[in-house]
Each structure stands twice: as C-alpha cells, then as structure tokens.
C-alpha cells in the first residue's frame, strides 16, 4: 500500500488527460492527522519549476496536510501563468479538503516549457477527481499516476516498534542529485516534530537519493517530501527511525536506478580508503558521470583505465599511481598498474560492482549509476516529440 501503509493517510491516482496514453497522471496524498508535520528537500538547480517555488513557501512552517502531484507536464518555464496554475491547484485541493492552501504542496513532472489553459483545466479537474477517489488503499494508484518514462511504479514500506514508513517515487532519466532526486513522497504515522522530520529526512537523502547519479542531468522539479501523521501515537527512538527511513530511501533509490532509461547495468561505485567522505563522493561521482566508463560497461569491457582517468580529474586527496580498482570481484588494477587479466571479469550480469581503493584514509562512500546505452540516447532524442 506504500504511502497509505502508515495510519492516517489516504491517496488516489486518476487520469486527467495530461498523458496521451490515457494512463493515470494526477495523484493526491492526504494526511488526516492528528499531526500535520512535514519536511522536504528540493533540487539545488537554479532553474526551478513553479511547484518547487510554491512548495518551498508552503512547507516553511514545517507543516502540510496534502500533496498534489501531476505527471505529463513539468510546469517549468511557463511564467506567471504557470505559477498561477500551481497556486490554483493548491487552492482547489484546499477548498475540497477544508484546509488552507498553504497546507497543500504541489509537484509536477514531465516536459519543460509547455503549459496552457488545457493543461491547467486538466490538472484542476484531476485534482478534484483524485480527492473524490481518496482511499486508505490508494497508494499504488498514486504511485502509478506520477510515472513518466518509468516502466514500473516504485514503492516501499518499512515497519518497526509500532510505527510504519511508506514511500513512492518516480524517475527514470534526469537522475542527478541536489539534495533530492526525482519526485518522492514518504509518509509515516510516527509522531515527529518538524525539527525531527527535517533532520531525519536530510540525513536519509544525503546517503541515498543524493548518491544516485544516473546521467549527470539535474532536474528542475526534484522534491522529496516526508509527511508525518502521528496516528500511531508513538514518538520513535531517533536512531531507530533514522535507520528505517534510510533503508526505505535506499530501497527506492535502487528501484530508480534499476528503471533508468535504457540501462542494461546497475552499477555501484564503492570508494574506500578516502581521506574524507566528501573525497569519496567526489571520486565516485566522477566515474558515474564519465561517458567513456559508462559506455565501456555497456559493452561489457572492464576498462579500468577509464576509471583512473576519471578520478584523476578531481581534487580529492590520493596518488593516482597508488590506487586499486576491482570490478565484480576481480582486482584489475593495483597501485596504478595492471593486476589480474581483464578477461577474468564477468560483466554479463546486470548488477555491477566497482571498488576503488584510494589508500589514503578511513572514509568511504558509494555512488549508484548505470551504463550509457543506445536505448538511453534514443529515448531522450525523441522525448518531446
């Protein structure tokens, strides 16, 4: 049931005609309380969609009762008309739910730079019909309604000590971090203060969604939202809640990676022996964003030279001639030179593990990415057609 697994939540997903396929494209998730705690992290892209601008204002007090999401249009670079559309969406939802517009968050995803009266009418109509269809088992329909080029919905649930966390996510391309990645809604019936929710969300996204780097392209619409109803009546032990939230976010991030546009390999780039965690992240991300490395993996070529070339572009602390590289359990490079023969590496499986040992310190980090395929190029060459 994903976002409706925790007590106190209802959700729905309907088709409003935003997609030519007729598939669901508007979702509404409502927190019935008693708490209305909310926290969110947003894209750090300076180019931000109208829903991001609205939601930043709406959540500034640490509370929200509902979130409206649409696929089939990003409502970005649509001027004052677009912001009015977002505002009217929140107002329409608020009127129907008997709450204030400032208690409604809005998210959109789809093609940038398009939006007209038809788009607005369909979003408002979809919001009305989704609210009329709200149900305690509507989480799966909401997950389907936020999909764009996704091939499957992404959902997850965790439960512990009498409280539950649920989540849905969308994203298949334009997956690069900036505090958040893609559209994600997390719900919990744990009793959290706004300060606790914000701290827990930021800690979880930092090591999960923020470590997912599919194609180096940061969206204008990225938002991860946590809503807490408090309906369980339980104030969770912070470490326990943080552990479960991190696990749930990691689960969703892995689902996003597996469904990346056209990908044939899911790649975990694990960097160890770093002087700092930041260094490990920088090194891992340099490999994740290197097209030569990504095409090599697509071609089942364990070309470790491309790994060293990529990490050599960073300012992280290490000696390029004292680095080990292991691919799928075979150490192909040691101390900056050849080790085991490349033909010992089996890259046929979809899951691919690259281990980089910088040999200078105690810190580590893992970046999740995928290969660069013909299918990815084809998908994005015709995205707006």
């Amino acid at each position: 049931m994903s976002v409706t697994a925790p007590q106190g939540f209802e959700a729905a997903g309907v088709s409003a005609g935003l997609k030519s396929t007729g598939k669901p494209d508007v979702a509404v998730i409502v927190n019935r309380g008693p708490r209305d705690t909310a926290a969110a992290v947003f894209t750090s892209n300076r180019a931000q969609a109208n829903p991001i601008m609205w939601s930043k204002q709406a959540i500034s007090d640490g509370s929200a009762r509902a979130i409206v999401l649409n696929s089939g249009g990003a409502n970005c670079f649509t001027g004052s008309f677009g912001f009015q559309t977002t505002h009217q969406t929140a107002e329409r939802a608020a009127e129907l739910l008997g709450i204030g517009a400032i208690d409604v968050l809005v998210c959109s995803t789809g093609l940038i730079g398009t939006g007209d009266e038809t788009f607005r009418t369909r979003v408002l109509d979809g919001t009305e019909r989704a609210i009329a269809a709200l149900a305690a088992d509507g989480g799966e329909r909401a997950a389907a309604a936020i999909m764009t080029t996704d091939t499957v919905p992404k959902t997850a649930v965790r439960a512990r000590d009498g409280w539950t966390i649920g989540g849905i996510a969308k994203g298949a391309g334009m997956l690069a971090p900036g505090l958040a990645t893609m559209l994600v809604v997390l719900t919990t019936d744990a009793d959290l203060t706004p300060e606790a929710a914000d701290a827990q969300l930021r800690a979880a996204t930092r090591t999960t969604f923020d470590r997912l780097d599919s194609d180096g392209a940061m969206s204008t619409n990225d938002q991860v939202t946590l809503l807490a109803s408090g309906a369980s009546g339980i104030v969770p032990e912070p470490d326990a809640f943080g552990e479960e939230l991190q696990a749930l976010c990691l689960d969703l991030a892995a689902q996003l990676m597996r469904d990346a546009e056209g990908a044939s390999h899911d790649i975990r780039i694990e960097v160890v022996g770093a002087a700092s965690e930041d260094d490990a992240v920088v090194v891992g991300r340099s490999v994740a964003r290197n097209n030569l490395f990504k095409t090599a993996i697509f071609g089942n070529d364990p070309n470790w030279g491309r790994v060293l070339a990529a990490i050599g572009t960073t300012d992280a602390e290490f000696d390029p001639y004292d680095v080990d590289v292991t691919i799928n359990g075979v150490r192909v490079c040691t101390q900056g030179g050849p080790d085991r023969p490349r033909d010992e590496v089996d890259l046929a499986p979809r899951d691919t593990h690259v281990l980089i040992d910088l040999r200078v310190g105690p810190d580590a980090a893992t970046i999740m990415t995928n290969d660069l395929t013909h299918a990815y190029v084809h998908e994005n060459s015709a995205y707006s057609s």
Side-chain angles (χ1 to χ4, degrees):
M1 296 195 304
S2 63
V3 290
T4 51
Q7 301 175 63
F9 291 94
E10 295 178 338
V14 300
S15 175
L18 293 170
K19 295 176 180 174
S20 60
T21 60
K23 292 181 178 180
D25 47 29
V26 174
V28 175
I29 300 165
V30 176
N31 177 3
R32 297 297 189 184
R35 283 274 199 177
D36 62 358
T37 297
V41 287
F42 303 92
T43 181
S44 60
N45 194 328
R46 291 170 58 199
Q48 297 185 347
N50 291 300
I52 294 291
M53 300 178 200
W54 169 264
S55 293
K56 280 186 170 181
Q57 296 177 26
I59 207 166
S60 60
D61 62 353
S63 65
R65 280 292 184 185
I67 182 166
V68 180
L69 309 96
N70 77 268
S71 55
N75 193 8
C76 179
F77 291 119
T78 49
S80 59
F81 174 86
F83 189 80
Q84 291 165 10
T85 299
T86 296
H87 195 168
Q88 288 181 26
T89 302
E91 288 179 328
R92 184 69 56 85
E95 178 185 1
L96 294 170
L97 293 169
I99 59 179
I102 201 65
D103 292 319
V104 180
L105 306 179
V106 180
C107 294
S108 297
T109 181
L111 187 63
I112 294 171
T114 60
D116 54 20
E117 288 290 351
T118 300
F119 173 80
R120 174 184 286 178
T121 298
R122 288 174 176 173
V123 169
L124 295 178
D125 176 66
T127 300
E128 291 183 6
R129 292 196 291 110
I131 289 174
L134 285 170
D137 63 351
E140 300 299 325
R141 291 186 288 277
I146 63 175
M147 293 166 56
T148 50
T149 57
D150 306 64
T151 64
V152 293
K154 287 88 175 175
T155 66
V157 175
R158 305 281 296 191
R160 180 169 173 177
D161 301 333
W163 43 263
T164 302
I165 310 173
I168 62 174
K170 68 78 51 184
M174 224 177 186
L175 306 189
L179 295 181
T181 309
M182 292 60 60
L183 297 186
V184 181
V185 181
L186 311 169
T187 59
T188 183
D189 51 20
D191 189 350
L192 301 176
T193 65
E195 295 76 17
D198 184 74
Q200 292 280 15
L201 180 62
R202 292 183 184 278
T205 56
R206 186 184 70 83
T207 57
T208 58
F209 297 117
D210 197 41
R211 302 284 171 85
L212 176 60
D213 204 325
S214 172
D215 53 16
M218 186 188 299
S219 174
T220 55
N221 292 62
D222 296 345
Q223 181 172 331
V224 176
T225 306
L226 172 63
L227 305 174
S229 69
S232 70
I234 299 171
V235 177
E237 195 280 319
D239 288 346
F241 186 84
E243 182 178 298
E244 295 301 330
L245 183 63
Q246 201 268 351
L248 183 138
C249 290
L250 189 60
D251 183 350
L252 289 173
Q255 292 182 53
L256 292 170
M257 176 177 66
R258 183 162 289 273
D259 198 29
E261 290 170 345
S264 63
H265 290 83
D266 303 326
I267 309 168
R268 288 186 303 115
I269 303 170
E270 182 182 1
V271 181
V272 300
S276 67
E277 184 180 10
D278 286 345
D279 273 5
V281 170
V282 166
V283 166
R285 206 178 301 289
S286 72
V287 178
R289 292 185 173 182
N290 186 280
N291 286 339
L292 290 178
F293 163 76
K294 291 160 77 73
T295 53
I297 298 300
F298 169 59
N300 293 340
D301 177 11
N303 191 338
W304 55 267
R306 292 180 174 177
V307 174
L308 293 186
I311 70 177
T313 65
T314 72
D315 60 0
E317 180 184 343
F318 66 89
D319 180 352
Y321 297 96
D322 193 26
V323 172
D324 293 351
V325 178
T326 300
I327 302 177
N328 281 358
V330 178
R331 193 174 69 178
V332 287
C333 165
T334 184
Q335 294 183 291
D339 193 6
R340 301 301 304 166
R342 300 181 192 208
D343 59 12
E344 291 185 8
V345 180
D346 182 9
L347 284 172
R350 184 178 181 99
D351 290 330
T352 303
H353 180 225
V354 178
L355 176 64
I356 303 169
D357 189 347
L358 300 180
R359 300 163 62 102
V360 293
D363 289 306
T366 298
I367 300 294
M368 295 174 285
T369 191
N370 49 268
D371 54 352
L372 177 57
T373 68
H374 301 302
Y376 175 86
V377 175
H378 176 74
E379 175 82 31
N380 286 281
S381 69
Y383 184 74
S384 63
S385 54

